[in-house]
Amino acid sequence: MLQSTCFAVTDTALPSTAEVERLRYTCDRSVRPDTRRWTWLRLDAPAIGSLPREWRLIVDQTRFERVALITIKHDGTVTRLDRRWTEMQGIGAPGGVLRFPVEPRGNEIRAVYLGFEKIDDLALVRSVTAATREEAAKSHDRWLILMGLFSGTLLSAFAYNVMIDRGRRFPFQRWYLAWIAIALAYGLTWSNVAGLLIPGLVGPSAVTLDYILVGLLVAAGGMFFLSLVEDRLLPRWLHRSGRGLAGIGLLFGLLAATDGAVFHPILMDRLLNLSVMASAIMAFLGIAYAIRRGSRVVWFYVIGWGPVIAIFAARVLRNLGMFPQGDTLDIAMFAALAFEAIILSLATSDRFRALCNELELARQSREWGLIEAEKLRSAALTDPLTGLGNRAAFQSALQTHVATRRDAPFTLFLIDIDHLKDVNDRHGHAVGDAMLCHIASRLAALTETHGAIPVRLGGDEFAIVAADADDRSALVEADLMQLQGAIWHHGTEQRALSLSIGSARCPVDGREPDLLYRNADLALYQAKRLGRSRHHRYDAALRTLLEVSTAFAQEAELAMQRDEFRLYLQPLVDLQEDRVVGYEGLLRWQHPKHGLLIPSQFGDILVEERIGPRVQDHVLDIALGLLRDNPMEIPYLCVNFTSAQLSGPVAAKRVLARLEHFQVSPAALCVEVTEGVMLGRAADGVIGTLHTLHDAGVRIALDDFGTGYASLSHLRQVPVDTLKIDRSFIAALEHESDNAEEIVRAIIGLAHGLGKTVVAEGVENEAQMNILIELGCRFVQGYRFGRPAPWRLIAPTPTAQIVANS
């Protein structure tokens, strides 16, 4: 009927009936009326002439300040209905329309006028129709049934998606739940069904809320689609465009709800409809991308949202005037939304199950990863041989103790197993490993009792971190000392355990892990220097000695350039023939500040990695120079060698090359080694070097014999020419209670039995010399026959003269 209506406008307040009739009406639809005050529609009376009594005038609802309906009968009777926008109770009807009751028959009516004050735009009143009371009732019932089904379907979908899993919500679920809630609110508001529950929520108020809900629908629908499709299937630009369109749709919906306060209502209505179209186009592009890339869930979206998008597009075209007005598209829209709710519930369910499976697999993977990581961590912190913690575990424990117990003192013990190399050489590495495991188990047992932490640092080195509280560290120390000398049995073998132990306390001896470890290591080194099989606690003097040693190492380079290193020679005497048969070269340092130094004062530099080998080579050159310059006076010269000089594949070649360079016969050089050098960590390389030198004619002497763990098997393995009895046994010869004489007799007998030469060191008086003669010792060395002195001060004399001079 809108096509047969004409309109007029007036700037006055609510005019009288006569004024309304006198207005100049135009039926030209291209003219845009001014809606600042009242806009009047004159309805075509002949078109309603066939209507019975109590018919209904039905108008699409829009926004206005006030509405008035004037009915004029042929007899001049006037009926007026006047309502403000807040007084719409009883006017709104399901289907999104305003329904005005008209009492007279259609053929009794001469004219009908419908007026709006400050209407948004007359173009937004898309339909003005008339219906009998029965037709209006049928439409009313039809819409109630439709919205009942619509509401029930959406509420069921909402409840289903809420109950899928109350413990977690994926983004697409949250967006879909929001979309369902907005769609339900939009359907109930647009259709005026909400007005049955909330009186007054019809007409302009419903239209305002509809605009907001449409904007929210566009935003929620777009975000739901973007979050529903599987990850990384859609290009980034499409994601950005989709989010942008969602924001634009929401913005246009809010602006359209301002009732022309910002932009003209018809402009905002058009822009909102265009944003719906743009979102639909974006959805179709996303669907195409997802299908091409193998999405499964997108097919649910196509099935569910395809009809909705198509009908929304048709409604937009209808709103733009391309389709005729009517309820068909509106009814189809809500039916499509209900259908969509069912289909997309299945889609969210399918997507949820897929994600749950992925999460379950990820959870299992994480659990297995944690188990594997724990195994790897345990393996990384465990010594595979003993089962104790390893060096990494030690560093972690030490750092933890230092960090958390600065006010709770604790002690760090470093433990070395003495002469493990001897066990490996004599019985094999399997027995040595068994010994390590035995000691590890003993350490674990005693530390468990006292709440300490034992670890194996590597090789024959162990460490224990013990709290000082409740005397725990003292108890650990006492138990460690009880291990000293304990007999260890393995098969038919047995051995007394010997441990070198150094300790340092935190915070007294160091607050940082590295400093505490270095101080404990200094104490351990001192325990070894003092004869092993003992415990030594760190004290500041050890650090002072280290600093002095470090200073000496720094000065050694300049000392070699200044010829400050000297060899003092001490004669080796043949008692039977009463003559000097050779000399031992003893190193001295003529220091410009400290005077003459002996090796016990600076000997640490000889084992220092950087300067030690160079000093040793320098000393060897001094010895070879003496042999070259005095071939008749010095029959042979004994020089002490360290393991660094004798280990490595080219060590022997280097010594022989120096002999050739100085043109000295190999027989003139005697390489003197201690049991520590011969049985140390580099023993295999040292023994190989000694064999090569011995085969070339160089003499080999084993110094300080009897104080270490050299055994018959070692004497068989090493090409030793001479055994030198340690001076401690010679000094004890005059004390019958020390059994020194029996020990010396045994050593001499052993040496002679093996065809070795034996030399007694440290002979200081005639009584010792006479005993040695009785025991069959032919060669001696000591102050009784001459003190170490520079070669220029030694006159080659017979033994008798030496004795007389001494």
Side-chain angles (χ1 to χ4, degrees), residues 564-569 584-590 596-600 602-603 605-606 615-616 618-620 622 638-640 788:
E564 294 175 3
F565 289 109
R566 313 285 172 79
L567 272 181
Y568 278 42
L569 274 56
E584 178 179 0
L586 302 172
L587 182 61
R588 300 291 185 267
W589 185 352
Q590 188 63 52
L596 189 65
L597 303 176
I598 61 176
S600 62
F602 68 86
I605 70 169
L606 299 179
V615 173
Q616 294 161 2
H618 181 70
V619 172
L620 177 60
I622 296 174
C638 294
V639 180
N640 289 281

Side-chain angles (χ1 to χ4, degrees), residues 148-165 169 172-181 183-184 224 305 336-349:
L149 294 173
F150 171 79
S151 300
T153 303
L154 264 65
L155 287 173
S156 298
F158 187 90
Y160 174 74
N161 282 274
V162 167
M163 296 302 294
I164 284 179
D165 190 335
R169 287 285 179 268
F172 69 86
Q173 287 180 285
R174 292 193 291 269
W175 283 115
Y176 187 56
L177 289 173
W179 193 91
I180 290 177
L184 179 61
F224 167 70
W305 276 60
L337 287 175
F339 174 74
E340 176 272 343
I342 296 173
I343 296 300
L344 290 192
S345 292
L346 299 177
T348 56
S349 176

Side-chain angles (χ1 to χ4, degrees), residues 405-672:
R405 303 192 179 186
R406 290 185 180 272
D407 299 326
F410 67 91
T411 299
L412 169 62
F413 295 92
L414 296 182
I415 305 160
D416 261 16
I417 302 175
D418 297 328
H419 313 296
L420 179 63
K421 180 64 170 61
D422 177 60
V423 175
N424 288 331
D425 289 345
R426 293 184 61 186
H427 306 291
H429 286 276
V431 177
D433 289 347
M435 184 179 183
L436 283 171
C437 292
H438 171 74
I439 293 177
S441 64
R442 294 291 299 271
L443 294 179
L446 71 89
T447 52
E448 183 179 2
T449 302
H450 306 305
I453 302 173
V455 296
R456 182 189 177 205
L457 300 178
D460 58 358
E461 299 176 283
F462 292 84
I464 295 176
V465 180
D468 288 351
D470 302 324
D471 296 326
R472 293 181 182 179
S473 61
L475 295 173
V476 169
E477 178 183 347
D479 287 347
L480 286 174
M481 296 312 297
Q482 288 182 2
L483 282 178
Q484 301 283 15
I487 303 301
W488 168 66
H489 298 273
H490 183 77
T492 59
E493 299 293 333
Q494 62 179 27
R495 190 179 185 92
L497 300 180
S498 175
L499 306 176
S500 294
I501 307 168
S503 64
R505 296 181 65 226
C506 178
V508 176
D509 299 328
R511 289 182 175 271
E512 300 301 324
D514 184 61
L515 177 60
L516 190 67
Y517 176 83
R518 286 189 281 113
N519 288 342
D521 194 52
L522 281 176
L524 173 62
Y525 181 72
Q526 187 67 9
K528 292 180 179 180
R529 293 183 61 180
L530 295 176
R532 304 176 185 270
S533 192
R534 68 188 66 220
H535 170 222
H536 193 85
R537 298 180 183 86
Y538 171 80
D539 60 72
L542 294 178
R543 178 62 57 185
T544 302
L545 290 176
L546 177 63
E547 292 172 355
V548 171
S549 177
T550 302
F552 281 155
Q554 295 172 349
E555 297 171 0
E557 184 72 38
L558 188 60
M560 288 188 288
Q561 297 176 10
R562 295 176 177 176
D563 291 329
E564 294 175 3
F565 289 109
R566 313 285 172 79
L567 272 181
Y568 278 42
L569 274 56
Q570 187 176 34
L572 300 173
V573 177
D574 183 345
L575 295 178
Q576 184 175 334
E577 296 185 3
D578 192 29
R579 66 186 179 87
V580 174
V581 294
Y583 293 88
E584 178 179 0
L586 302 172
L587 182 61
R588 300 291 185 267
W589 185 352
Q590 188 63 52
H591 197 280
K593 179 179 179 181
H594 301 291
L596 189 65
L597 303 176
I598 61 176
S600 62
Q601 296 172 300
F602 68 86
D604 288 345
I605 70 169
L606 299 179
V607 295
E608 202 272 336
E609 293 183 358
R610 185 184 62 85
I611 195 64
R614 299 190 59 190
V615 173
Q616 294 161 2
D617 290 342
H618 181 70
V619 172
L620 177 60
D621 286 350
I622 296 174
L624 295 178
L626 287 172
L627 288 171
R628 178 194 60 197
D629 298 339
N630 305 278
M632 302 302 295
E633 294 84 358
I634 305 177
Y636 71 88
L637 181 59
C638 294
V639 180
N640 289 281
F641 274 63
T642 64
S643 60
Q645 284 176 288
L646 297 174
S647 60
V650 298
K653 292 181 179 180
R654 186 167 55 246
V655 175
L656 294 176
R658 300 310 295 164
L659 284 168
E660 183 178 357
H661 174 76
F662 281 90
Q663 297 181 349
V664 173
S665 170
L669 176 65
C670 178
V671 173
E672 194 166 302

